[in-house]
Amino acid sequence: MSILQDPYNRKLSYLRLSVTDLCNFRCNYCLPNGYQGKAKPDELTVDEIATLVSAFSRLGTKKIRLTGGEPTLRKDLPDIIRVCKSTPHIETVALTSNGFHLKKLFPLYQEAGLDKLNISIDSFDPDKFYEITGKRESERIVQALDEIIESGFTSIKVNTLLLKEYFDSSMKDVFDYVRNRPITLRFIELMQTQDNYAFFQKQHISAESVEKKLIEQGWLLSPRGPNAGPAREYYHEDYQGSIGFIAPYSKDFCTSCNRLRVTSQGKVHLCLFGGIAYNIRDFLSQGDDKGLEQYLLSIIREKPEHHFLHEKKVGLIRDLSMIGG
């Protein structure tokens, strides 16, 4: 069986699949004016996604993360989860969401076979959460998440964007949150896109600098699991939960890259900040998973060794809602 392996001997076992560009938040770092327009009429159908996942699974993909925009805005998301989970060789189906519909819809996702859940909570302070996201929903989202944890589902990560303006005042809340909850909270370093240069200059804070402070307080690095993403996670004997970091500006961030991305319109991005999007829609609309396999094997040779964020080259990414980060 052929596998997806790039010129740098990295095996691509992790697919991030965006199922919609649509989002119902207006986060100041991504869509400060909200999503402009309606959901695109050409989002991948469930049948097209089945073809996509079939091809990727036979090429060594073990983990699929469903992203957006906000993926829970698709009413057929349970069907998408079910298709991914029932495909041979797919071991893990994960979902990244802002949590707005979590209380109502999570049971449907769990029944469909969801294995892991990532929820974005950029502040536990209701007023700061509103400043960042444009929504007064933090308390309701945290409550829904606690109910899920209490039910026994603990394969959960909470994502918090590192923003200089809010960082110092948020740390106590972060430590309080993971002290008695068996989940991981991950700080994500702010990345520059085409439309956020001024915001990036004002709000960027190095993840590595925060990581060093954590180590000084006795946190220890955890081993990296198979098919895991690039996060570095730390544990502490006094805490049930752990704290992680996704640091795209660190020198070794791309060394262990194991992921590819597909947009909700059927375009492959070999790198989040690459300059080319490969259109695979014809293969999907025709149900041609065999042809797609061969095409993926040909384009994987073009995957770059690393991104060029340090040179302020952001490729095609206008904003992170385009492809789910």
Side-chain angles (χ1 to χ4, degrees), residues 68-173:
E70 173 47 43
T72 64
L73 295 179
R74 279 197 61 157
K75 294 180 180 179
D76 57 359
L77 184 58
D79 296 327
I80 295 172
I81 294 170
R82 195 170 288 110
V83 161
C84 293
K85 186 62 178 175
S86 64
T87 302
H89 311 302
I90 299 300
E91 298 172 356
T92 304
V93 179
L95 174 68
T96 294
S97 170
N98 60 29
F100 185 84
H101 292 298
L102 193 62
K103 185 178 181 66
K104 176 182 178 182
L105 297 178
F106 178 75
L108 299 178
Y109 304 150
Q110 187 176 22
E111 187 276 332
L114 187 70
D115 297 297
K116 296 187 176 185
L117 179 67
N118 283 22
I119 297 297
S120 298
I121 303 178
D122 290 312
S123 177
F124 293 99
D125 179 290
D127 293 330
K128 291 184 174 66
F129 186 91
Y130 175 72
E131 289 176 20
I132 296 170
T133 69
K135 295 284 185 179
R136 294 196 179 277
E137 297 290 339
S138 62
E139 292 172 305
R140 189 172 68 87
I141 292 170
V142 170
Q143 181 183 14
L145 203 53
D146 280 345
E147 291 174 2
I148 291 172
I149 294 170
E150 289 168 8
S151 76
F153 187 97
T154 57
S155 296
I156 296 170
K157 290 183 171 64
V158 173
N159 294 335
T160 297
L161 192 70
L162 276 175
L163 297 172
K164 186 182 295 184
E165 180 179 354
Y166 303 100
F167 173 71
D168 288 336
S169 61
S170 70
M171 284 307 295
K172 182 181 182 303
D173 291 337

Side-chain angles (χ1 to χ4, degrees), residues 182-253:
I183 55 92
T184 299
L185 185 144
R186 302 188 306 181
F187 287 112
I188 300 177
E189 190 173 12
L190 178 65
M191 292 173 276
Q192 187 177 335
T193 57
Q194 290 179 10
D195 68 350
N196 76 347
Y197 179 76
F199 186 89
F200 178 84
Q201 293 298 112
K202 177 182 178 182
Q203 296 287 6
H204 181 260
I205 179 173
S206 165
E208 286 189 319
S209 66
V210 181
E211 203 169 342
K212 288 178 182 177
K213 293 179 180 178
L214 210 66
I215 293 171
E216 291 170 358
Q217 296 177 36
W219 291 77
L220 301 173
L221 185 63
S222 302
R224 189 171 180 270
N227 304 315
R232 293 190 294 268
E233 295 186 0
Y234 291 81
Y235 67 95
H236 192 291
E237 62 180 7
D238 295 333
Y239 293 80
Q240 283 193 45
S242 58
I243 293 179
F245 295 87
I246 297 178
Y249 289 89
S250 63
K251 62 181 180 180
D252 59 348
F253 182 74

Side-chain angles (χ1 to χ4, degrees), residues 247-311:
Y249 289 89
S250 63
K251 62 181 180 180
D252 59 348
F253 182 74
C254 298
T255 303
S256 59
C257 182
N258 64 348
R259 63 185 58 190
L260 294 174
R261 293 170 171 82
V262 175
T263 71
S264 57
Q265 282 75 47
K267 293 182 179 180
V268 178
H269 289 244
L270 301 179
C271 172
L272 175 59
F273 293 99
I276 302 176
Y278 298 86
N279 195 337
I280 59 172
R281 196 63 184 267
D282 286 346
F283 295 107
L284 303 180
S285 61
Q286 295 168 19
D288 185 8
D289 53 348
K290 301 291 187 182
L292 177 56
E293 282 185 56
Q294 295 307 309
Y295 184 69
L296 292 171
L297 287 169
S298 68
I299 65 172
I300 198 62
R301 303 167 190 162
E302 306 301 321
K303 184 172 172 63
E305 184 176 10
H306 52 74
H307 61 59
F308 295 93
L309 286 176
H310 295 96
E311 289 82 21

Side-chain angles (χ1 to χ4, degrees), residues 29-61:
Y29 54 84
C30 185
L31 293 173
N33 299 315
Y35 184 84
Q36 302 301 301
K38 299 180 180 180
K40 292 183 174 65
D42 59 345
E43 292 174 344
L44 294 177
T45 66
V46 175
D47 286 343
E48 288 176 317
I49 289 172
T51 298
L52 175 97
V53 174
S54 175
F56 270 90
S57 69
R58 289 200 298 271
L59 292 174
T61 296

